[in-house]
Amino acid sequence: EVQLLESGGGLVQPGGSLRLSCAASGFTFSNYAMTWVRQGPLKGLEWVSAISGPGGDIYYADSVKGRFTLSRDNSKNTLYLQMNSLRADDTGIYYCAKNRDVGVAAYDYWGQGTLVTVSS
Amino acid sequence: DIQMTQSPSSLSASVGDRVTITCRASQSISSYLHWYQQKPGKAPKLLIYTASSLQTGVPSRFSGSGSGTDFTLTISSLQPEDVATYYCQQSYSAPLTFGPGTKVDI
């Protein structure tokens, strides 16, 4: 059974940092691209960042470029999102998600989400 | 960036009704369009990928069509458990983008 378990969310002041983790199990982690998607309070879904299976290709939304860093450790089956210079509009639930297929970024499994709150 | 729009933003229908949601891309995205269902307090669930392929385990009353810039999600016979918000998403080019969502009520 595929499982994705996010952790690392919490309350942080503007300008602060957090590191989110997503522990994966039930599939060959290194074979699949992975993604972070966030959802602000009462808002829609926003794609944040994605990384290829081997980790060599990484993409970011313009809203987080230069502040967030995505990485993965395939030996630990874990995805990471380092978030720096956090702003109030980064507040929301952060989901990690697994690509369904190579070359098609549709997300067939999602974690339960971890809440990030940026507030003073 | 490719912008995605959806219509309507919300709808109310009766059980058994046929429901259609439209998604439009600001430029051609071939068939790189996917549909998700999200219920309150839950993570999104993949319904349809590459415009018309039904995800494993999704009821056959859900179907998708379209290519290029215009796409539709159809629920052939609305059920109470289909109350949710539906999002389209393009994966043609980064940054990947979602539509604003369509809220479906009974």
Side-chain angles (χ1 to χ4, degrees), chain A residues 64-83:
Chain A
V64 307
K65 200 173 294 183
R67 301 187 299 123
F68 289 12
T69 301
L70 182 59
S71 63
R72 64 192 297 161
D73 186 336
N74 287 343
S75 68
K76 295 182 178 179
N77 289 351
T78 303
L79 180 72
Y80 302 101
L81 185 66
Q82 177 67 44
M83 304 187 298

Side-chain angles (χ1 to χ4, degrees), chain B residues 36-105:
Chain B
Y36 300 86
Q37 175 194 67
Q38 187 180 33
K39 298 182 178 180
K42 300 294 187 181
K45 173 186 176 182
L46 179 65
L47 298 177
I48 302 286
Y49 62 98
T50 53
S52 60
S53 297
L54 189 68
Q55 172 66 3
T56 304
V58 174
S60 59
R61 64 180 179 273
F62 291 93
S63 63
S65 65
S67 66
T69 60
D70 294 320
F71 302 85
T72 59
L73 173 70
T74 299
I75 308 173
S76 61
S77 177
L78 188 67
Q79 300 302 304
E81 60 266 33
D82 300 336
V83 169
T85 301
Y86 294 82
Y87 295 92
C88 61
Q89 174 236 329
Q90 67 83 16
S91 65
Y92 181 79
S93 67
L96 308 191
T97 44
F98 288 88
T102 296
K103 188 174 183 180
V104 174
D105 283 324

Side-chain angles (χ1 to χ4, degrees), chain A residues 6 34 41 60:
Chain A
E6 302 98 335
M34 298 292 294
Y60 297 98

